[in-house]
Amino acid sequence: MTELAFKITFTALFAVLGACIASFANVVALRSAKDESYINGRSRCPECGGTLRWFELIPVVSWLIQGGRCRKCSVPISPRYLIVEIAGALALGLSFFKYGFSWSFLIALGVYVILMLIAVIDFTIMEIPNGLVLALLPFAIGAIFAQPEISLISRAIGILTISLPMLILALIVKGAFGGGDIKLMAVVGLLLGWQLTLLAAFIGVFIAGCIAITLIIRKKVKKGAQMAFGPYLCLGTMTAFIFGTEILTWYLGLYGLWL
């Protein structure tokens, strides 16, 4: 097997694993919202209560084959499942494609799992568990050794780069940001350093803003309605972790600047 074929094969395998983890994260979030165990019990249709067979639980594939509907009651299944599973596949697959078998990939794997759980739980119950933010901390510390090109000074500044402005804004404007968002970005700052943390926040704010505007225009939500911001911060963080340096190099290069 050639090196390229090897890389493509394992990229595909980790993409499948990423989709499976994302699917499980959805289960954890939905059952946590109902105060149910996500370890015991078979998966059921939330509408008709029918037990789902194994072939109805294949990430991405089952949703597409069934046309986004339950086989038993034909009620539409939220596209959220498909979107989360595809995002999970891309995140883990691209992480391996970028880093291969390395310490950086192991950190990317841990970061991905935690960020996926944070994203779907926050989207479901509008809350980021402190335990998951703390679970992210060892991987942020590990990144100090796995990616020494990001200096300790950059990481120290990164802790406050986004979290401090968010804290100040939350104190001034009630409900602007939740405590979970602030804590999350403090740990992300240690993980990424200040430059990539800025990029992660920008990506998150940009995507969240586009979605919010779209929902308002389509009258799905009213102005001033609260929305979970954590999922978009998680998306921005994972994007910055995988391709942040390349994105910043490209952007600054447009102006003749370099990292």
Side-chain angles (χ1 to χ4, degrees):
M1 181 181 291
T2 65
E3 183 178 350
L4 179 60
F6 175 87
K7 195 169 188 178
I8 292 175
T9 299
F10 276 90
T11 295
L13 289 174
F14 280 110
V16 171
L17 176 61
C20 292
I21 293 172
S23 180
F24 178 69
N26 260 325
V27 172
V28 172
L30 292 172
R31 294 195 181 182
S32 295
K34 298 177 181 179
D35 199 25
E36 298 176 350
S37 171
Y38 51 83
I39 298 176
N40 300 316
R42 299 284 299 277
S43 294
R44 298 177 179 275
C45 171
E47 185 67 26
C48 67
T51 301
L52 302 180
R53 303 285 298 278
W54 67 268
F55 51 82
E56 298 175 85
L57 299 172
I58 303 174
V60 180
V61 176
S62 293
W63 196 97
L64 293 175
I65 290 178
Q66 294 169 201
R69 293 179 178 275
C70 173
R71 285 179 60 252
K72 297 176 179 62
C73 65
S74 297
V75 169
I77 301 172
S78 171
R80 158 187 166 169
Y81 294 93
L82 178 66
I83 294 170
V84 169
E85 289 165 1
I86 291 176
L90 288 173
L92 202 53
L94 291 174
S95 292
F96 178 80
F97 192 82
K98 169 72 180 292
Y99 294 114
F101 287 112
S102 64
W103 287 112
S104 289
F105 173 67
L106 290 178
I107 290 171
L109 175 58
V111 168
Y112 158 76
V113 172
I114 296 168
L115 290 182
M116 182 58 68
L117 287 169
I118 288 175
V120 295
I121 289 174
D122 190 32
F123 186 85
T124 303
I125 64 176
M126 298 281 287
E127 181 179 331
I128 298 178
N130 288 330
L132 288 177
V133 176
L134 287 174
L136 189 62
L137 186 57
F139 295 100
I141 295 173
I144 296 174
F145 303 96
Q147 299 177 326
E149 64 273 14
I150 301 176
S151 69
L152 285 174
I153 294 177
S154 176
R155 295 181 189 276
I157 296 173
I159 293 173
L160 300 175
T161 298
I162 298 299
S163 62
L164 182 58
M166 288 175 71
L167 175 60
I168 293 173
L169 190 58
L171 293 174
I172 297 174
V173 181
K174 185 178 179 180
F177 296 104
D181 297 326
I182 298 169
K183 297 169 191 173
L184 172 63
M185 291 313 294
V187 179
V188 167
L190 178 62
L191 173 72
L192 299 178
W194 72 268
Q195 293 168 309
L196 295 183
T197 300
L198 281 175
L199 176 63
F202 173 79
I203 293 172
V205 170
F206 178 78
I207 295 176
C210 289
I211 291 176
I213 292 172
T214 301
L215 291 176
I216 291 173
I217 291 176
R218 297 180 62 187
K219 297 182 180 179
K220 297 291 184 179
V221 298
K222 296 180 180 180
K223 290 183 178 179
Q226 289 189 329
M227 65 181 291
F229 193 36
Y232 309 105
L233 293 177
C234 290
L235 176 60
T237 297
M238 203 65 207
T239 302
F241 188 87
I242 302 172
F243 295 120
T245 300
E246 289 79 3
I247 293 173
L248 286 181
T249 299
W250 166 78
Y251 179 74
L252 294 175
L254 296 176
Y255 303 94
L257 304 172
W258 309 99
L259 285 176

